Amino acid sequence: MYKIILNVEGMSCEHCKKRVESALNAVEGVASSSVNLTNKEVTIEYDKNSISDNELKNTIEETGYSVL
């Protein structure tokens, strides 16, 4: 398992947190995701053989948030 921490703009509440985590956790290859609203970060544990960093970023952006 690999772990990546991404900075994400636009998340401000529990709804945002749940929306991003749900979208990521639904992706094949993602073991877990956790949003830290205070730091505006998402920590993702995933199988690098199943999904790329860019695909993870695209998943977040498709939910309406910007990955920095």
Side-chain angles (χ1 to χ4, degrees):
M1 272 308 137
Y2 287 85
K3 180 162 67 168
I4 188 172
I5 298 173
L6 301 173
N7 293 316
V8 180
E9 276 297 316
M11 299 183 301
S12 61
C13 65
E14 283 298 313
H15 175 74
C16 299
K17 175 180 170 30
K18 288 180 183 179
R19 185 173 178 184
V20 171
E21 289 174 347
S22 293
L24 287 167
N25 290 334
V27 175
E28 185 175 334
V30 173
S32 68
S33 65
S34 177
V35 170
N36 182 319
L37 290 173
T38 304
N39 295 337
K40 298 181 180 180
E41 293 177 340
V42 180
T43 303
I44 308 162
E45 290 188 22
Y46 66 105
D47 178 359
K48 203 164 182 110
N49 294 320
S50 297
I51 189 164
S52 71
D53 293 354
N54 282 335
E55 290 172 307
L56 294 171
K57 292 174 186 177
N58 289 340
T59 299
I60 294 168
E61 290 174 348
E62 287 171 2
T63 63
Y65 306 98
S66 300
V67 179
L68 304 178

